[in-house]
Amino acid sequence: KQIDGVCLNTLPVALFAEVVVLAEGNTDCAVIEGVAERDNGTPLSVSGISVVSAGSKSSLLLPSAILDLLEIKKYVIFDGDKNCESLARANGQTETQIANVKANNSKQNKEITRLLTGQEGEWPATNANEYYACFEDSLERTLDEWSGWTSYKDTLLASGSGFEGKNAATYKRTSEECEENPPEILTSVIEKIITL
């Protein structure tokens, strides 16, 4: 029932790509594109690589399976959300809600890792493998650890050249223009994508 919607809404350009990078959301895609363009300013699309947002972690499975069936090379990027309990608690959720958040993330991680590796991983560690990358907590936490990234984003906001919140254009520009080098995990992800 969902295949038409995924093909028409999530994968229309990707169906004609040499390689598809499938990430959870728009800002994840923007960071990957920004880091990839840091050295020579050339978009991944010039090399036939399409960076696509699935919309959420729970929405990664179907587009990934469709790409497999069509024999289109893919690279999947997802968050392990290992610290989801702490985040839910900080947001004032009840213990029942926190337990549900943890169980849901555990289930999604198992499904994704089973699809990608054939083995279930409840809380996968940060790594960049040949066909997928996982951030143990989230890509957002990795950006927090990127020296200079947040301050450059704040400079863009203060100058009126960026937008508050999780904005794809601001994340892309910050990732591309930040003077400090990105964390090794991000450069490794780009290398793996280009190798495909």
Side-chain angles (χ1 to χ4, degrees):
K1 291 180 180 180
Q2 298 176 31
I3 289 176
D4 286 350
V6 170
C7 289
L8 294 173
N9 300 319
T10 304
L11 298 176
V13 176
L15 295 176
F16 301 96
E18 296 291 323
V19 174
V20 175
V21 178
L22 189 60
E24 289 185 31
N26 290 330
T27 53
D28 300 336
C29 294
V31 169
I32 295 304
E33 290 174 326
V35 172
E37 291 179 33
R38 284 177 67 85
D39 293 331
N40 58 18
T42 305
L44 289 171
S45 58
V46 171
S47 301
I49 301 169
S50 181
V51 184
V52 176
S53 167
S56 68
K57 181 161 69 172
S58 62
S59 299
L60 286 169
L61 296 174
L62 185 55
S64 179
I66 290 170
L67 293 169
D68 286 344
L69 288 170
L70 296 174
E71 298 182 355
I72 298 172
K73 294 177 186 174
K74 70 174 186 222
Y75 196 89
V76 178
I77 300 171
F78 69 100
D79 294 338
D81 295 307
K82 186 172 183 178
N83 295 320
C84 61
E85 281 183 280
S86 300
L87 185 59
R89 192 166 279 114
N91 288 333
Q93 296 189 6
T94 67
E95 289 304 315
T96 301
Q97 290 170 322
I98 292 167
N100 289 338
V101 166
K102 182 178 180 182
N104 190 41
N105 277 297
S106 171
K107 177 179 180 267
Q108 289 175 3
N109 287 341
K110 288 177 182 178
E111 291 171 345
I112 292 169
T113 53
R114 183 172 56 243
L115 175 71
L116 298 173
T117 69
Q119 298 179 341
E120 290 184 350
E122 185 176 22
W123 304 110
T126 297
N127 60 75
N129 289 294
E130 189 176 0
Y131 298 107
Y132 75 93
C134 176
F135 295 90
E136 182 175 273
D137 186 18
S138 68
L139 176 56
E140 202 70 33
R141 295 297 76 75
T142 301
L143 296 177
D144 290 342
E145 296 165 5
W146 181 350
S147 176
W149 193 91
T150 301
S151 60
Y152 189 82
K153 184 178 82 147
D154 291 343
T155 300
L156 290 178
L157 295 175
S159 69
S161 299
F163 299 93
E164 291 284 348
K166 293 181 73 171
N167 177 270
T170 304
Y171 275 47
K172 181 178 185 291
R173 185 168 174 193
T174 302
S175 299
E176 186 177 354
E177 297 177 1
C178 177
E179 289 185 15
E180 288 80 2
N181 290 327
E184 186 177 335
I185 182 65
L186 289 175
T187 54
S188 180
V189 166
I190 301 303
E191 288 169 7
K192 303 284 186 187
I193 290 167
I194 292 171
T195 298
L196 280 177

